[in-house]
Amino acid sequence: MQTRSSKSTIVATVLVLVVTLGFSLVFSDSYSRPALANENAGPSTQELRSGKNYIPTKVYGAQDDEQILKFFDDLRVADVSDGMDKVGLTNTGLMSPEIHALWKDTVHYKHRFIGIAVTVRYVPTNKPPAPRMDTVPFDRWVGQWYNQLSSEPFVPLIRKGTALVIDDAPDSDVGSIGSNNIMGWQVRGCVGVVTNATARDTDEIITEKVPLYFRKPGRGIRPGRNEIESVNRPIVCGGVLVEPGDVIVADGDGVIVVPRAHAKEVAEYAKAILDGDKAGRRNLYKKLGLPPDDSVK
């Protein structure tokens, strides 16, 4: 015959089991639903194995680019950084200070540029370098590498106002950018180039006065060192995300990337900052007896 205490113990045990089972069902259901949803939605396993990009590339027309660039006329990196703060993007888009101007013009500021991002990604190659060979076969090997593995398929995308942003192989001593091809890009409308890696022919690029922001010099040619991976896909340069169509602003303070969706609002606030700064410095120039220069006009 069960006592009152033993009955109470049985009831309590049953209640504990019911509550435990309830929690188990709730949590099991909450964790299994997303898993089932993930299995039933999206690309197949086979599609994923062949590669899948999850950040789509938005396409903008030349006229849209021109209108956005007008908002950024004469703006500096510092002004734009203030504008990014205003829209809630503090410390966003500022590339590492290691990405710096190859040359500076402290009179007319021709090293500065503002453009619309076209993105490129080169990766270090895992293919063997060329063995020692005669000139003709070596030149043939170089040409095949340039044509098949490390070409410049982004060139047709360059138009007036383009800022070419390159994610390259930073540890390879390779000059993907040189004094010849950078001028070819400029002829097509490129206003400036940014890379998280290297460039060669730096003396000539300084003489040519093409705006270039990079990490350090690289001496070697692309063949045997890197391969083209993608064009106009999201990349990382200087530690920040760069999407095709973003606004790139570069000057002596470095490089900042403005997401296209926030560009107009950022520029409007930055313009007010710049106007106030110029007015204040013009007044100080007068007090100090300094002649006006391009920075206060």
Side-chain angles (χ1 to χ4, degrees):
M1 184 175 179
Q2 293 180 332
T3 64
R4 180 178 298 178
S5 61
S6 64
K7 287 182 179 180
S8 299
T9 301
I10 292 171
V11 171
T13 302
V14 170
L15 287 173
V16 169
L17 289 172
V18 169
V19 171
T20 302
L21 180 60
F23 273 113
S24 176
L25 289 172
V26 168
F27 281 103
S28 174
D29 187 52
S30 65
Y31 282 109
S32 64
R33 283 181 182 175
L36 289 173
N38 287 336
E39 289 179 4
N40 296 329
S44 67
T45 302
Q46 188 59 38
E47 288 174 318
L48 289 173
R49 288 193 193 283
S50 61
K52 171 68 176 176
N53 293 112
Y54 280 92
I55 301 179
T57 296
K58 296 180 181 178
V59 178
Y60 304 95
Q63 187 174 359
D64 290 337
D65 287 352
E66 289 177 12
Q67 290 175 345
I68 287 293
L69 288 175
K70 286 179 182 177
F71 289 114
F72 283 82
D73 275 348
D74 298 325
L75 293 180
R76 306 167 301 179
V77 168
D79 309 316
V80 174
S81 179
D82 292 350
M84 294 282 276
D85 286 358
K86 187 263 181 186
V87 302
L89 296 176
T90 302
N91 295 327
T92 300
L94 284 165
M95 288 192 185
S96 165
E98 293 181 355
I99 311 302
H100 64 281
L102 168 63
W103 57 274
K104 294 180 182 179
D105 170 13
T106 58
V107 177
H108 301 297
Y109 311 112
K110 293 186 181 297
H111 63 287
R112 296 179 177 179
F113 77 84
I114 299 165
I116 302 296
V118 165
T119 61
V120 185
R121 186 166 188 250
Y122 288 97
V123 294
T125 188
N126 59 6
K127 296 176 175 57
R132 181 185 176 90
M133 60 180 77
D134 292 336
T135 299
V136 172
F138 177 75
D139 287 345
R140 186 182 304 118
W141 177 84
V142 168
Q144 289 174 342
W145 193 293
Y146 272 125
N147 290 329
Q148 298 172 14
L149 296 175
S150 193
S151 60
E152 297 182 357
F154 53 86
V155 168
L157 300 179
I158 298 174
R159 62 192 180 198
K160 182 180 178 182
T162 288
L164 195 59
V165 187
I166 302 174
D167 174 11
D168 206 338
D171 296 324
S172 298
D173 198 342
V174 55
S176 297
I177 303 160
S179 59
N180 190 312
N181 60 356
I182 200 171
M183 281 199 299
W185 304 337
Q186 188 180 45
V187 166
R188 297 184 67 94
C190 182
V191 295
V193 180
V194 181
T195 179
N196 61 357
T198 56
R200 69 188 223 162
D201 309 334
T202 53
D203 289 341
E204 288 78 9
I205 294 174
I206 293 170
T207 299
E208 294 160 3
K209 293 294 182 284
V210 183
L212 170 63
Y213 291 71
F214 76 149
R215 191 181 300 275
K216 61 184 180 180
R219 283 69 60 95
I221 55 176
R222 292 204 297 264
R225 293 179 173 85
N226 70 8
E227 301 179 37
I228 187 75
E229 188 275 331
S230 62
V231 168
N232 246 25
R233 299 297 309 156
I235 62 170
V236 175
C237 186
V240 302
L241 173 65
V242 185
E243 296 187 56
D246 286 348
V247 180
I248 309 298
V249 181
D251 64 18
D253 288 343
V255 183
I256 190 167
V257 182
V258 182
R260 185 65 170 251
H262 301 280
K264 185 174 181 293
E265 186 179 359
V266 168
E268 288 173 343
Y269 187 82
K271 183 67 165 59
I273 295 294
L274 177 60
D275 289 346
D277 178 75
K278 282 186 175 182
R281 285 191 295 114
R282 278 195 295 266
N283 185 48
L284 292 171
Y285 270 43
K286 291 178 182 178
K287 293 180 178 180
L288 293 170
L290 297 175
D293 56 39
D294 283 5
S295 75
V296 294
K297 293 180 180 176

